[in-house]
Amino acid sequence: MCQYDVEPLLSKAPILAKYSDLEPLGTKVMAEYIWIDGFNHIRSKTMTLDEKPKSLEDLRVWNFDGSSTGQAPGNDSDTLLKPVAMYRDPIRRGDNILVLSACYKADGSANQYNHRDACNKLMEKHADQDIWFGIEQEYTMLDYYDRPFGWPKGGFPGAQGPFYCGVGTGNVFARDIVEAHYKACLYAGINISGVNAEVMPSQWEYQVGPCRGIEMSDQLWMSRFLLHRIAEDFGVKISFHPKPILGDWNGAGCHTNISTKDSRAEGGMKVIEHYLEKFAKRHMDHIKVYGEDNDLRLTGKHETGAIDQFRWGIADRGASVRIPRSVAMKGCGYFEDRRPASSIDPYLVTGIITETMFEC
């Protein structure tokens, strides 16, 4: 059978409800362990716990077959899952939990794809700088056949213009998924701060933050898990590719907003300018970890700067880094690195930003 004859298997919510409403025997709860694999994708599996854990220390270090996730060879495949953050589960609800986990080898060293370990060390080392991050996660919804959701079959929608922050049928697509994800993040305890439709139809954005240090990346990864998981129920795919549709369409980024105790203080504009002098010197080092296929997005068009150039500007969405006009007027605050692609590993991005500001 041709793959295009196959329809997506959607969640049968009314049937599932008969079972999801069942009360467990005694105090047992389900813990969904979630981790990042060797392809910068998300994996998960479930463990039954005898009772609701009170802290991370109550959770077991688990393991999985790393040879099936691109993280270990077959002859030494057991990879450890160490719990690093815990959230309420908006899907199963009750006392069930989501457990963000980091991957380690048997000898206790970080798995080569565990970028959280190095990032956390940087954040702890520079905790006195009180670094705040906020990340704007853009993404594109695709249908079962990898077409942008809601686009005409075999064709294209109208030109970009009415879709950014759009309202009304034909201007926005799949708002149900967006609303469900927003509420699920709030329920879980993720500091989601807003959502909006983006410039390209079927493209959306949500913002997480401000968060201090390592919490930024932890929460962004968990929000991505929830987005994928909720989209399953609607038969929709989530793409974090930075340029899902070639041509005269906006790409998808992960604009990263940064402030420190000094940039937020009086005279902080000078501090920001000092940071950006360092950013300019390490531009290509940053680009290397700012997402695959980012060259397709950072063209100098569609509200991006050119990938081989670094410049900053006030209220300039065509620059590598934008300083909001309100910050320039106030003389202190935050700045926005517009270079990261939507597909980034936020541990790498927040890590190199911290390293550049305070170790270079």
Side-chain angles (χ1 to χ4, degrees), residues 145-219:
Y145 309 112
D146 294 326
R147 295 185 298 252
F149 189 83
W151 285 32
K153 291 184 178 180
F156 297 89
Q160 295 183 151
F163 309 111
Y164 172 69
C165 296
V167 176
T169 300
N171 291 333
V172 292
F173 303 90
R175 192 186 291 273
D176 286 354
I177 296 174
V178 175
E179 291 291 318
H181 176 247
Y182 199 160
K183 293 294 290 290
C185 285
L186 289 172
Y187 180 95
I190 292 167
N191 190 25
I192 185 170
S193 49
V195 299
N196 60 269
E198 267 300 336
V199 177
M200 189 181 82
S202 79
Q203 185 186 81
W204 288 81
E205 173 189 303
Y206 65 92
Q207 305 90 36
V208 177
C211 298
R212 285 185 166 91
I214 200 68
E215 287 186 2
M216 178 69 260
S217 301
D218 288 349
Q219 292 196 23

Side-chain angles (χ1 to χ4, degrees), residues 133-150:
F133 295 100
I135 292 183
E136 306 164 28
Q137 176 69 71
E138 294 179 342
Y139 61 94
T140 306
M141 296 188 195
L142 306 177
D143 67 16
Y144 189 68
Y145 309 112
D146 294 326
R147 295 185 298 252
F149 189 83

Side-chain angles (χ1 to χ4, degrees), residues 4-295:
Y4 297 106
D5 295 331
V6 179
E7 289 300 322
L9 180 62
L10 300 180
S11 171
K12 302 296 189 294
I15 299 173
L16 177 61
K18 293 198 305 181
Y19 305 99
S20 58
D21 289 344
L22 292 173
E23 291 294 331
L25 289 174
T27 58
K28 292 185 183 297
V29 299
M30 291 179 281
E32 191 74 10
Y33 277 60
I34 297 150
W35 72 96
I36 301 101
D37 67 12
F39 309 102
N40 202 40
H41 298 157
I42 299 168
R43 308 280 181 136
S44 76
K45 63 176 184 172
T46 312
M47 176 190 291
T48 302
L49 306 180
D50 289 333
E51 60 184 0
K52 180 183 178 181
K54 296 181 176 64
S55 67
L56 286 174
E57 288 68 31
D58 295 333
L59 292 168
R60 276 177 46 196
V61 173
W62 208 3
N63 65 76
F64 66 95
D65 173 15
S67 69
S68 295
T69 62
Q71 292 170 275
N75 63 351
D76 188 17
S77 64
D78 283 2
T79 305
L80 303 180
L81 283 174
K82 179 182 177 182
V84 295
M86 185 167 58
Y87 303 87
R88 297 171 70 198
D89 187 343
I91 298 167
R92 292 175 172 139
R93 306 191 187 187
D95 287 335
N96 302 302
I97 58 171
L98 305 175
V99 181
L100 184 66
S101 304
C103 301
Y104 288 86
K105 300 177 183 178
D107 63 5
S109 61
N111 182 271
Q112 61 180 319
Y113 299 103
N114 172 4
H115 302 299
R116 185 187 191 278
D117 192 77
C119 180
N120 193 41
K121 289 173 182 175
L122 275 167
M123 297 305 170
E124 289 179 345
K125 182 178 180 181
H126 300 290
D128 61 323
Q129 301 296 331
D130 195 19
I131 310 169
W132 296 4
F133 295 100
I135 292 183
E136 306 164 28
Q137 176 69 71
E138 294 179 342
Y139 61 94
T140 306
M141 296 188 195
L142 306 177
D143 67 16
Y144 189 68
Y145 309 112
D146 294 326
R147 295 185 298 252
F149 189 83
W151 285 32
K153 291 184 178 180
F156 297 89
Q160 295 183 151
F163 309 111
Y164 172 69
C165 296
V167 176
T169 300
N171 291 333
V172 292
F173 303 90
R175 192 186 291 273
D176 286 354
I177 296 174
V178 175
E179 291 291 318
H181 176 247
Y182 199 160
K183 293 294 290 290
C185 285
L186 289 172
Y187 180 95
I190 292 167
N191 190 25
I192 185 170
S193 49
V195 299
N196 60 269
E198 267 300 336
V199 177
M200 189 181 82
S202 79
Q203 185 186 81
W204 288 81
E205 173 189 303
Y206 65 92
Q207 305 90 36
V208 177
C211 298
R212 285 185 166 91
I214 200 68
E215 287 186 2
M216 178 69 260
S217 301
D218 288 349
Q219 292 196 23
L220 190 71
W221 273 116
M222 187 55 67
S223 73
R224 286 174 171 177
F225 165 78
L226 288 172
L227 182 58
H228 280 298
R229 183 63 184 79
I230 289 164
E232 284 180 23
D233 290 343
F234 294 85
V236 169
K237 299 179 183 180
I238 301 298
S239 171
F240 292 117
H241 193 280
K243 191 71 173 179
I245 305 297
L246 298 177
D248 194 20
W249 303 98
N250 274 38
C254 235
H255 301 157
T256 303
N257 300 276
I258 310 108
S259 73
T260 66
K261 66 175 184 179
D262 291 336
S263 76
R264 296 188 296 269
E266 185 176 351
M269 188 68 181
K270 289 294 184 183
V271 175
I272 292 173
E273 291 175 2
H274 178 60
Y275 293 154
L276 297 185
E277 289 174 3
K278 296 182 176 185
F279 274 40
K281 294 175 182 176
R282 299 195 74 202
H283 174 61
M284 293 312 297
D285 291 331
H286 282 240
I287 290 297
K288 288 176 183 176
V289 297
Y290 274 15
E292 292 185 8
D293 292 327
N294 211 13
D295 58 309

